[in-house]
Amino acid sequence: MAVTGPEIERLIALLSKLPGLGPRSARRAVLQLIKKKETLLSPLASAMADAAEKARICSSCGNIDTQDPCAICTDETRDPHVLCIVEEVGDLWALERAGAHKGRYHVLGGVLSALDGVGPDDLNIGKLVERLEGGAGAINEIVLAMNATVDGQTTAHYITDRISGLGIAVSRLAHGVPVGGELDYLDDGTLAAAMKSRRPF
């Protein structure tokens, strides 16, 4: 049973579709927005309208920005010889937030998944190969920053096979014990990967 008008119920229903927000959290968020209508709700509505109008997908790397090519692709201070391949835009943003990569990116738009019916043609893999082949030797290393899942690793192996004849060095993110991690709380796969990838101290 609705306890508010249809406009507010619609806002609650839309917010509840966002990751991490269920119906109860969305209701609390809407209540807070309405309580602070002038300082929160109106500016948020304006910012969302601007984003809806100006957001673009970069035709080069697949990042989301308000310009095409995006700010990362047009930044001349970045290393054009190293290309980091990520599954989704959120992964790119996470690496940027950490300041972990100073080169360029390529967003696949997902991972290969036989169970979900996602094949190579559903991802930006063909565009990646074109980018590497047409780069006139500019890219000499790719970093596979895939999630440590079965589908992520399958996708990484597929990409490695597709570009094997291009003479480009391929590296991947290290797997193992996270900073601040305690061995007793780690799963078996993480411990095995950490032991396998050990290095001199």
Side-chain angles (χ1 to χ4, degrees):
M1 186 175 80
V3 294
T4 61
E7 298 85 359
I8 295 174
E9 288 298 326
R10 179 171 175 253
L11 180 57
I12 293 168
L14 288 170
L15 282 179
S16 69
K17 294 180 180 180
L18 294 174
L21 281 181
R24 291 177 67 188
S25 298
R27 194 167 293 281
R28 284 195 298 271
V30 168
L31 185 59
Q32 189 67 19
L33 287 168
I34 292 172
K35 281 183 179 179
K36 299 187 176 184
K37 186 176 178 182
E38 299 303 319
T39 58
L40 276 178
L41 185 58
S42 295
L44 177 63
S46 175
M48 290 177 73
D50 284 346
E53 180 186 339
K54 297 176 181 174
R56 306 274 182 272
I57 295 176
C58 178
S59 58
S60 178
C61 73
N63 186 22
I64 296 174
D65 201 342
T66 55
Q67 65 184 49
D68 182 19
C70 71
I72 292 175
C73 287
T74 56
D75 184 353
E76 295 184 1
T77 65
R78 301 186 81 94
D79 185 351
H81 305 296
V82 183
L83 187 68
C84 182
I85 301 171
V86 295
E87 294 177 18
E88 300 286 357
V89 173
D91 302 325
L92 184 158
W93 289 0
L95 288 167
E96 282 299 292
R97 189 172 59 246
H101 179 63
K102 302 301 180 190
R104 304 267 165 83
Y105 291 93
H106 188 86
V107 181
L108 295 175
V111 289
L112 297 173
S113 174
L115 288 176
D116 297 325
V118 179
D121 294 337
D122 300 312
L123 305 175
N124 291 329
I125 294 176
K127 193 169 188 178
L128 169 66
V129 174
E130 287 176 21
R131 191 173 175 189
L132 294 173
E133 289 175 338
I139 298 169
N140 54 35
E141 179 188 359
I142 65 166
V143 180
L144 296 169
M146 318 305 286
N147 291 324
T149 61
V150 172
D151 291 339
Q153 297 310 301
T154 300
T155 306
H157 287 296
Y158 179 83
I159 291 171
T160 303
D161 290 344
R162 282 287 304 269
I163 65 167
S164 61
L166 299 179
I168 298 172
V170 179
S171 59
R172 69 171 191 166
L173 295 183
H175 297 158
V177 180
V179 174
E182 296 182 30
L183 298 184
D184 191 38
Y185 293 101
L186 299 178
D187 62 276
D188 296 345
T190 300
L191 283 172
M195 186 60 76
K196 187 177 179 184
S197 303
R198 66 188 183 276
R199 59 187 186 201
F201 188 59

